Structure formats: C-alpha cells, structure tokens
Amino acid sequence: MLLRHTPAEVAERKALTINPAKTCQPIGAMYASFGIHGCLPHSHGSQGCCAYHRSTLTRHYKEPVMASTSSFTEGASVFGGQSNLIAALNTIFTVYNPDVVAVHTTCLSETIGDDVTQIKKKAFDDGKIPEGKRIVNVSTPSYVGSHVTGFAGMCAAIAKEFCVPTEEKTDQINLIPGWVEPADMRELKRLMKEMNVPMVMYPDTSGVLDTPMTGEHDMFPKGGTTIEQLETTGSSFHTFALGKFGSEDAAREIQRIAKTPFDVMDLPIGIRATDRFLMKVSEITGMPVPDSITDERGRAVDLIADMQQYFSGKKVALFGDPDQLFALTEFLLDIDMKPVHIVSGTPGKYFSQKMSEIIDDEVPTANYRNGSRADTFLLHQWIKNEPVDLLIGNSYGKYIARDEDIPFVRMGFPIVDRIGHQYFPTVGYSGAIRIAENILNALMDRQDRDAPEERFELVM
Amino acid sequence: MSSLIKEREHQVFTKGRDDYKISAEKVSAAGSVSQRACVFCGSRVVLYPIADALHLVHGPIGCAAYTWDIRGALSSGPELHRKSFSTDLREEDVIFGGEKKLYRSLKRLIPKYNPNAVFVYSTCIVGIIGDDVEAVCSKVAAEEGISVIPVHSEGFKGTKKDGYRAACKALMRLIKTGSTIPRNKGSKPVINILGEFNLAGESWIIKKYYKKMGIEVGAILTGDGRVEQIRQAANAELNIVQCSGSLKYLAKDMKEEWGIPFKQVSFFGIEDTASALYTVAESFPDNPEIMEKTKSLVQSELSKAYPILENYRKDLTGKKAAVYVGGAFKAFSMLRSLKFLGVSVVLMGSQTGSAEEYEEMKEMADPGTVIVDDSNPSELSAFIQQLGVDLFVGGVKERPMAFKLGIAFCDHNHERKIALAGFEGMLNFAKEIHNSLTSRVWQTIDEARESDPWKI
C-alpha cells in the first residue's frame, strides 16, 4: 500500500503539505497563454520551472508544448534578470518569431525584484521588439495563490494588453471560459454558435493543445484567439466570466478598460449550472435557446432519470480546483449523490463561503477545506474516517483509490494516466452526459467486480 | 537553417563538414525552448529512488508537485520516496524566512514516517531568502538522532549537471556516516553500482547478472536504494558507474577518500552489457572462477538473444534514427545498439554532455551525422525532416513532437515502462522500436499527406 502511512487521526498541521491538491501559479499562466494564437509563453526564471511546466502539460495533453525561459543563472539572480529577459526576447523574435510573447514570472525573478513591466518598456523603447509584436506580462510568484490564480492573472493580463475600448458597443459578447480543457472551449463555442450569439472567447486552447496529426510539427498551431479578436473585447457589450476563481479578474479588467458590464457565472458543469449560463446569455443577448440545445438538455436529464437508482445516496469525495468543484458538487447533489469530502489546494475565503451555500443544507456533515494544508493527504484521512463510494479528482487520486479500493473518476488537472479529457467536454449538457457516463461506468464496473456469481447481472 | 539560434553555432556539428570542438556545458541561450531542467531537478532525480528516506522539498509548492512520483524508479520494499512532501512556502515565509516552517515540518515528519534518513532540497527561493538550511538540518539531526542531509540544489545555481553534483555531495555525506566492516577472507568481492536508478526494474536485472558471476552488489546508487546500504558503500572494492553524467562525481570522490577504483560502464545494448560484466570480472584477477562464470553467462544470454534480434534486424535495416537523451554517455550505447539492429543514427545529442564526450561522439558517428548539444524542439524537428529520420529515441518532451512529425518513438528517459538494460533489455528495446516503426498508424498519416483522403 503506497499510502500505508496515512493515519486516520486528523491532526492540525501548521507547516508542511503532503501530496498537494494544487501546484504553482506559473503553470496556470502558461496554460492561459496557449489560448492566444501565435503566442509563445515565456517563463522568467530558472530553466527548471519551464521544463516542469512543459513536461506536466505534455503528460496531460500528449502534445508538444513549446515555451521559452530566461534561463536564470547565479549572475542573473544577483544582478537582476533584465539582461536575460532582453536577450531572451531577442532570441525569441529572431528564432521563433511568434506574434505574442506571454511572460510570466517565477518565485526567483519576483523575489529578486525584477520589474517585468519596466523591462518590457525598455525593450520597446530601445527598439528591441520588432514592429507589430506584442508582449503580455503577468506577475506569478509561486508562493502566492495556486495554478488557478496564475491562470486568472494571465487572463487579466491579456485583457490589459489587448482590450481596445470603444464608445460604441457591438452585439458581440466576451466569453472567458475559465480553466477548462480544449474540448470544453470547443463545446462552448459550439453552444454559442447554436444560439447565434456573436462572441469572442479567450483564452481558447482548442486547436493548440489538441492539434490534428498532419505529419508536420507546427510551433504555432492554427487555434487560439487572434490579436484582432482580442482587440475587439473592448467593443463587446457584455462579458461572461465562467468561474469566479479563473475568470473574474479578466472580466474586471475588461470592465476597467472598456466599461463593459459583466456577469460571473459558475462553470457550466452539470444541468443547473448550464441552465443558468445559457439562460443568462439568452436574457442578455435576447437570443433564444434553440430547440436543439433544449433537446440536448432533455437527453442528459433522460440519462440521469434512467440510471437514477445507481447514483442515489452514493457518497463521493472530490478534490480539484474551486470553480470545477462548485459546479460539480451541485451536479452530484442533483443526481442524488452525496458529496461528503471536498478539498482544494487553491486558497481564497470565497471557497468555503460558496461551498457552504451549495452543500450545508443538503449534506450538513460534509467536510470541505481549501488553501494551505488542504491536500490529498487530508482528503485521504477524511475518507478513512468516513468511507466513500466514489472518488473524483485528477490522476493523483489513484493512490487513494487503490489504497482504499474506491471507484475513481478522473476529472481535473493533471490527468496523466488516461485519455479522454482532451477530446470530450465536461461542460454543457453533453458534458453532463459524459460525467454521468464516467461515474456510472466506475460504479457499475465495481458492482460487477464485487457481485457474487448469483447476483452477477447481465442487465443493469 | 533559420531555426538555429546564433549563440548555438558551436553546439551543432555535422560530421565530415565541420571541424570545431563542440562547446558543451554552456548555459542555455535565454529565450530558447531548451529541453533542459534545473539544478533542483538534477538532484531530485538522482536521490529520488532512495525509498526509505524522506525527501522534503523546501520551497513553494510547484517544485514538489512537479516531481511527485514522476520517475518509474521501482522499490522492492518501502515506497516513502513516492510521496510528495513540501514546506509549501508562502509569501509571508519569503518575507520572514522559511526556517521555522522547515524545522516544524521536519519535527512532524520524522516521528510520523520514521525514515532512515532525510534529504532536504533547497529550491531557488531558499537560496535567495537565505534560509540557513544547513543549521536547521543539523539541529533536527541532533534532536532526532537521524541523518538530515541538506541538498544544495537551488535551481538557478548552474545546470542540471550541478544538481547531480549537489546530489553526489549529499550522498557522500550519507556514506561518511557509515562504518567500515572488516572483510572475511574468501568472501565474495563486493561492488557498488553508481548511476543506476532501477527504472522499470533494471537494477534487478543487472544485480542478477552479477550474482550469477559470484559478485556481491553492495549498494546501488540509487536504484531501489536503501539508506543503510548506501552508508556501507565505502566497504566495496570497486565502483562501476553507469550514466556518467550523474554519479561520476561521487565515484571520483570515493576514489579520493577511500581509494575505491571505478570503471565506467553501460548496460544498454548487447555489447555494452557484456563488456560491463567482463570489466568487473577482469577487476578480480585473483578469482578466475568469476571470469569463467561471466563467460558462460554472457554466452548463454547471447545465444538466447541473437536469433530473436536477428529477426528484428530484418525489418529494421536501413531505418534512420535520432537520439537525444539527457547524458551523452547513454547516447553512445544507443548508437551501438541501433547499429546492431541495422538502424543508422543520423542525429544525436544530449542535454548535458561534456566536451570530451562530444569528441568521442564525433569519433563514433558516421559521416553526415548531426550532433547537437542542449537542443530545442524547432531545431530538432527541422533536422528530423531534413535528415529523413524514421525513429526518435528521447524523453517526455520529445515524444509528442516525434509523433506529430509522423515518426516512431522510443522513450529512453525516466518515463520508460519497460526495462531496457541488460540482455533482456536489448530484446525489449528491439521490440519496442520495431513495434513503433512498423505501426500502421504511420501509413495512415502518409495516406493523408499524399492525397486528401476525403477528396473525391
């Protein structure tokens, strides 16, 4: 047993995180950067950070992940990273020639006090940046927030760089999808198209981190939101930010620049969250939800009704990122399941406030915690005290699932030991079907595995 | 080639065309998409397989999160190394220092997990805020009565290679806490194997060979490693060093400190494995029985392997390969193995090879072969297309790139799932590259490439 040392008794820890349910800001910033067309993410720090983020994203997407680094040395950390960054930008534009470089910082460059905004200005002033090229930058020290806040920060930085305010607004909306998969972004675009809602969505990693096989390796794939599209965010008449943790900062930034009103919605995971999102879009844009989408909803609900007996009353433990957990917890309740333990490594007081609204009345005994020391070690301890029928989380959940022999559904980031997350959305009604399917498969496989021969059923 | 970075002029060499010395161990050009990692990464991969030690990463969460159980270094017993422990430094720690947090973490972890030793890794930020990790470690060591060894692996203090060096220093400290065991006359010769990490169980394969030869393997550093065995490492009569990049420093230090000789070997490929076994046998000339056993072992393994490999060779002959790995020494073995299978190597390189190693690589390579140091994806993919490469041997970051280009791939890095060392490893290697090279999926791409399949 890999986790044999995990004791059931939960003791408060002041220091120390064991088996984290989060990672650091820069990787989130890097992921968001891939949602811009022709963008090279750049890590201003040691080489290792960049290599680790690229490896992790590669393992998750099975795709080439291109990003550059300032390659800090001892000298840079004493004298500052300015010359490294300027040299890096020179190399990047000479060799790789992206349209945009998205610079994020690391704990190292932050602590030595590099002011990237200033360095960037100097590079432009000194004529080091070729005509028409753009640089986005965001501060993402690893000791603040989590990968989720790094993502949110980069989304806001993109708005800051590209959003061009106009007095006259168009009938277009801005959609900030939050940290979801390329497949989810594709699905959100489809839903908006289905509703005939003109929109610009960013970041959009579809077509960047799920590229088709062509026999060519393109450093800057076809996908991603273009600069031209990004510039129109300031003329859109409304912004929808999906997920408070991942997208609110960007919506606020657009509002600051272009006075564009916004709504922060839950990620449209599950039936009700999707209902709310689509109805709000319909209300704001005046575009009705078409029958085709109503039918999708109907199919999702039909599936849940058909299989309701298998979900009913099953206890679930889940971990991951706050925006996903809010919507997912609500969905689990809606399909008669009982979330009992919920953990997120991402800090923020809003988490417990919101989670309390979702779950306290439904499951008064539920455990939920976020921030420092809210790790999968704690989750495992909770599970030991109150066993569950299902575990939902990223690949790191597999240790707990194996040790405690719990059916396990993979959702979140990273997923490094299964495929599917790249191709099938979990947002929208079709996403709800996918989640329900995965849960059912896990539960029913378990039932089959454990059934004594006389109760081993063909029809379920 | 436009994708070549100017500063890298002398890090790319074409045999038969260029005649300069490849400049190695250079800091990567800022802004390049380097495949290299950092000092911390170097230390972490070397020490990671020590399964009964506790590995605490002192820094913000990322460094621990990204190195949590990513290396398939198998353990036959404890698996403490597969957990992720971090002091998870936050903003206030960066301002006020992280020593207290480190102290508290250690005080809590040691009684709970009862490890046989503790390694504390310093990350970038610790080097900047100036925590006295050394002092905290010795304080806790004194209080708890176990070895608490700091690993000075601040990410920016050099390259991954400097991380190997820091890990070797940490290992040396651990070995020095061991005791000398008087040797009985007539007992079996004892060797240590350095730079072998038990990926996919490779240490076990190698150990088995030496056992058959009548040699006792004292410590393996660090595959399936145990603190106590490492402590006794100074009692060995010979160190054999695989993966030259990482553990050679330790071999040199051990030679200096205790006069233990070392020999550089490789267990990749038929020839290299045989020579690794003979090298050890020759080191004990007073014991002719060992050589006898070695000969019969090699003979029996070869007679099993040859006919199978011969079959693979039929399909593989004429294929072209690119080899891009971490250390250069491994690339030599790859070159020999691939040649043995009829595959020519047209592009080879490493992240951290030394100047001498590159000279050797030049010697071994066929004319026209391109040699690269600290390469990057756009450079690699340009060469792959230019040279008509069919197979790429590399690691995690190269895999999807190779596949996107529609060529076969073999993982020879720490994510490999099958043992590639020893005679049986060579069979696995041949099988893996054969399966990948002959996969039908490449035909599907070619069809798409040649004509739009949906066009009527």
Side-chain angles (χ1 to χ4, degrees):
Chain A
M1 274 162 57
L2 203 49
L3 304 181
R4 67 174 81 77
H5 300 285
T6 307
E9 187 200 336
V10 181
E12 282 305 313
R13 279 175 274 153
K14 285 214 180 78
L16 187 65
T17 294
I18 307 172
N19 299 347
K22 65 168 174 181
T23 180
C24 64
Q25 288 207 94
I27 198 171
M30 187 182 279
Y31 179 60
S33 312
F34 283 113
I36 309 176
H37 177 73
C39 176
L40 185 71
H42 180 83
S43 166
H44 187 48
S46 295
Q47 254 177 355
C49 309
C50 188
Y52 282 138
H53 305 147
R54 289 178 58 212
S55 295
T56 305
L57 288 165
T58 297
R59 291 182 180 114
H60 181 83
Y61 290 110
K62 319 292 181 209
E63 287 284 312
V65 171
M66 298 297 132
S68 56
T69 159
S70 292
S71 299
F72 266 51
T73 54
E74 199 139 21
S77 59
V78 176
F79 303 112
Q82 174 167 311
S83 62
N84 280 57
L85 184 53
I86 289 181
L89 290 169
N90 184 35
T91 303
I92 290 166
F93 288 117
T94 315
V95 181
Y96 305 113
N97 197 26
D99 300 332
V100 182
V101 178
V103 182
H104 61 264
T105 59
T106 59
C107 46
L108 178 57
S109 54
E110 282 292 331
T111 311
I112 63 172
D114 277 357
D115 181 346
V116 174
T117 306
Q118 198 57 40
I119 300 172
K120 174 173 136 183
K121 191 175 171 293
K122 189 172 158 41
F124 273 105
D125 291 349
D126 295 352
K128 296 271 171 66
I129 311 300
E131 193 67 31
K133 302 292 180 183
R134 307 290 287 269
I135 298 172
V136 183
N137 68 291
V138 65
S139 167
T140 48
S142 326
Y143 44 76
V144 174
S146 76
H147 57 294
V148 177
T149 52
F151 175 88
M154 182 54 87
C155 291
I158 293 169
K160 191 177 172 194
E161 173 65 26
F162 294 105
C163 179
V164 180
T166 57
E167 282 302 318
E168 288 281 297
K169 300 296 180 193
T170 61
D171 60 354
Q172 168 183 283
I173 61 157
N174 297 324
L175 182 60
I176 303 165
W179 188 328
V180 291
E181 298 291 351
D184 295 315
M185 297 186 184
R186 210 179 280 287
E187 175 67 2
L188 289 168
K189 285 193 285 188
R190 186 189 68 84
L191 286 169
M192 292 301 100
K193 202 171 173 190
E194 202 88 343
M195 284 179 72
N196 280 315
V197 172
M199 66 136 192
V200 56
M201 182 179 80
Y202 91 90
D204 180 5
T205 56
S206 66
V208 180
L209 290 169
D210 60 351
T211 62
M213 166 72 103
T214 59
E216 299 290 326
H217 169 224
D218 202 347
M219 184 111 178
F220 304 107
K222 275 190 281 190
T225 317
T226 63
I227 294 179
E228 293 73 38
Q229 288 171 325
L230 288 169
E231 283 174 342
T232 68
T233 51
S235 53
S236 300
F237 79 100
H238 199 87
T239 300
F240 289 94
L242 305 184
K244 186 178 173 70
F245 279 80
S247 302
E248 184 173 1
D249 291 355
R252 282 196 188 282
E253 188 63 22
I254 295 172
Q255 184 199 41
R256 187 185 66 81
I257 296 167
K259 301 192 177 64
T260 315
F262 67 88
D263 277 294
V264 178
M265 313 286 299
D266 286 322
L267 282 180
I269 291 174
I271 307 292
R272 279 199 291 154
T274 306
D275 288 352
R276 286 195 298 274
F277 168 57
L278 296 178
M279 277 153 60
K280 193 76 186 177
V281 170
S282 175
E283 178 198 318
I284 300 280
T285 63
M287 305 301 279
V289 178
D291 291 348
S292 58
I293 294 182
T294 311
D295 285 351
E296 282 175 33
R297 183 185 194 278
R299 283 193 291 274
V301 177
D302 186 67
L303 166 91
I304 295 162
D306 287 344
M307 308 311 279
Q308 171 271 337
Q309 54 173 322
Y310 291 95
F311 296 120
S312 187
K314 294 284 194 305
K315 288 183 185 173
V316 190
L318 54 159
F319 68 99
D321 302 336
D323 293 334
Q324 272 80 2
L325 292 176
F326 296 146
L328 187 58
T329 302
E330 183 189 62
F331 181 52
L332 293 174
L333 290 168
D334 283 347
I335 58 175
D336 300 325
M337 298 188 86
K338 196 177 167 194
V340 289
H341 310 303
I342 305 163
V343 156
S344 175
T346 295
K349 287 204 177 81
Y350 180 74
F351 180 85
S352 39
Q353 190 188 318
K354 167 96 176 177
M355 202 49 98
S356 151
E357 285 165 20
I358 298 170
I359 206 167
D360 282 0
D361 289 343
E362 305 272 354
V363 188
T365 55
N367 294 309
Y368 47 87
R369 192 183 294 178
N370 72 311
S372 284
R373 265 77 73 196
D375 46 28
T376 64
F377 180 82
L378 174 71
L379 183 70
H380 190 191
Q381 292 185 306
W382 280 348
I383 291 172
K384 280 183 182 292
N385 286 293
E386 184 180 357
V388 293
D389 304 296
L390 180 71
L391 175 67
I392 303 178
N394 66 32
S395 288
Y396 289 109
K398 75 191 290 182
Y399 305 112
I400 299 174
R402 184 182 163 101
D403 263 22
E404 302 296 330
D405 197 21
I406 312 168
F408 176 38
V409 167
R410 284 162 183 79
M411 264 185 90
F413 176 86
I415 295 172
V416 292
D417 62 338
R418 291 291 187 277
I419 58 141
H421 55 280
Q422 305 99 326
Y423 307 108
F424 304 105
T426 55
V427 301
Y429 302 119
S430 60
I433 292 179
R434 161 97 175 140
I435 299 170
E437 179 203 7
N438 283 341
I439 291 175
L440 283 167
N441 286 344
L443 293 175
M444 293 161 107
D445 278 349
R446 176 57 51 104
Q447 188 175 326
D448 277 346
R449 191 198 77 178
D450 293 348
E453 199 159 287
E454 67 278 15
R455 296 201 175 271
F456 179 67
E457 294 171 273
L458 174 68
V459 182
M460 293 169 81
Chain B
M1 195 178 67
S2 68
S3 56
L4 189 58
I5 298 172
K6 200 167 175 299
E7 290 94 318
R8 297 191 25 75
E9 258 170 7
H10 287 100
Q11 284 168 283
V12 178
F13 179 96
T14 307
K15 180 160 175 179
R17 195 196 71 188
D18 302 327
D19 64 350
Y20 44 80
K21 194 166 180 188
I22 297 173
S23 59
E25 298 178 76
K26 264 179 74 170
V27 174
S28 305
S32 68
V33 182
S34 170
Q35 308 294 77
R36 276 184 185 166
C38 61
V39 181
F40 164 71
C41 177
S43 295
R44 187 83 171 100
V45 294
V46 166
L47 298 175
Y48 173 80
I50 305 174
D52 59 345
L54 192 138
H55 302 264
L56 175 63
V57 181
H58 186 36
I61 198 69
C63 304
Y66 303 123
T67 54
W68 176 9
D69 203 15
I70 55 163
R71 210 169 190 212
L74 308 188
S75 165
S76 55
E79 293 191 304
L80 193 51
H81 65 306
R82 296 183 65 182
K83 293 187 140 203
S84 177
F85 300 104
S86 169
T87 48
D88 192 2
L89 292 182
R90 310 300 295 170
E91 200 160 15
E92 62 273 19
D93 307 313
V94 173
I95 299 164
F96 300 109
E99 289 174 20
K100 249 189 207 155
K101 213 167 183 181
L102 175 60
Y103 176 77
R104 278 198 198 138
S105 299
L106 287 168
K107 290 295 276 184
R108 194 176 172 96
L109 279 168
I110 292 167
K112 180 180 258 165
Y113 290 98
N114 218 3
N116 291 329
V118 182
F119 292 103
V120 176
Y121 302 77
S122 291
T123 58
C124 287
I125 199 78
V126 172
I128 297 292
I129 62 177
D131 277 359
D132 192 346
V133 177
E134 197 78 48
V136 176
C137 287
S138 48
K139 186 172 182 219
V140 176
E143 288 171 5
E144 301 290 330
I146 73 163
S147 297
V148 182
I149 300 172
V151 186
H152 296 289
S153 53
E154 292 86 350
F156 59 88
K157 287 192 171 166
T159 65
K160 192 170 172 183
K161 243 181 163 166
D162 296 284
Y164 299 150
R165 204 179 298 241
C168 287
K169 279 188 184 154
L171 286 169
M172 195 66 184
R173 284 174 77 152
L174 183 62
I175 297 171
K176 283 185 175 168
T177 63
S179 51
T180 352
I181 308 167
R183 299 192 51 76
N184 296 326
K185 233 183 154 196
S187 61
K188 284 182 188 167
V190 181
I191 63 166
N192 297 321
I193 306 175
L194 276 57
E196 162 51 48
F197 302 107
N198 204 29
L199 302 178
E202 288 172 347
S203 301
W204 299 328
I205 295 175
I206 296 166
K207 218 171 163 173
K208 189 181 69 190
Y209 296 149
Y210 286 114
K211 197 176 169 195
K212 283 187 182 164
M213 287 160 53
I215 300 275
E216 198 184 318
V217 175
I220 297 180
L221 294 114
T222 53
D224 197 12
R226 298 291 180 278
V227 169
E228 204 42 48
Q229 280 168 1
I230 295 170
R231 280 206 170 104
Q232 303 307 331
N235 292 300
E237 289 150 78
L238 174 70
N239 281 332
I240 55 171
V241 190
Q242 175 169 249
C243 188
S244 57
S246 58
L247 269 282
K248 208 169 170 181
Y249 307 109
L250 181 68
K252 283 180 180 165
D253 284 353
M254 288 178 77
K255 189 177 176 192
E256 206 162 288
E257 184 81 23
W258 297 290
I260 303 171
F262 70 88
K263 297 263 166 69
Q264 211 165 316
V265 300
S266 162
F267 295 99
F268 297 119
I270 294 274
E271 297 160 62
D272 287 19
T273 302
S275 118
L277 303 183
Y278 283 130
T279 301
V280 171
E282 282 160 10
S283 304
F284 301 101
D286 302 344
N287 212 333
E289 212 177 282
I290 292 177
M291 185 52 92
E292 286 307 306
K293 285 181 183 163
T294 309
K295 279 181 184 162
S296 83
L297 167 70
V298 171
Q299 207 152 30
S300 120
E301 292 289 340
L302 287 184
S303 62
K304 272 187 280 176
Y306 265 126
I308 305 170
L309 293 173
E310 198 51 47
N311 265 334
Y312 286 124
R313 181 154 41 187
K314 281 180 203 144
D315 287 345
L316 299 176
T317 298
K319 298 285 185 192
K320 290 189 232 170
V323 175
Y324 187 75
V325 288
F329 198 72
K330 187 154 79 182
F332 302 156
S333 299
M334 295 288 92
L335 179 77
R336 281 189 285 265
S337 299
L338 288 163
K339 267 191 178 168
F340 187 89
L341 291 168
V343 178
S344 59
V345 176
V346 294
L347 169 64
M348 64 194 300
S350 76
Q351 291 172 27
T352 58
S354 67
E356 303 79 64
E357 285 170 327
Y358 284 122
E359 287 307 304
E360 203 176 332
M361 203 181 271
K362 281 196 221 165
E363 286 290 306
M364 289 173 73
D366 292 331
T369 300
V370 175
I371 298 173
V372 289
D373 172 58
D374 183 24
S375 195
N376 56 74
S378 51
E379 198 177 279
L380 290 170
S381 56
F383 279 128
I384 287 170
Q385 288 183 310
Q386 193 184 314
L387 301 167
V389 171
D390 304 296
L391 165 74
F392 198 104
V393 181
V396 55
K397 292 190 288 292
E398 292 88 26
R399 181 205 299 264
M401 180 191 76
F403 287 155
K404 277 283 184 275
L405 291 168
I407 64 167
F409 183 82
C410 170
D411 194 326
H412 213 296
N413 208 325
H414 54 221
E415 264 176 45
R416 61 177 179 264
K417 309 296 176 206
I418 52 159
L420 299 176
F423 301 105
E424 49 202 281
M426 179 66 178
L427 295 179
N428 292 338
F429 178 65
K431 187 177 174 198
E432 175 148 314
I433 63 173
H434 180 267
N435 287 356
S436 190
L437 273 165
T438 57
S439 167
R440 287 218 197 176
V441 72
W442 313 129
Q443 293 171 28
T444 322
I445 304 163
D446 284 341
E447 281 160 19
R449 228 184 310 208
E450 276 150 29
S451 65
D452 188 341
W454 292 278
K455 213 186 276 168
I456 301 166

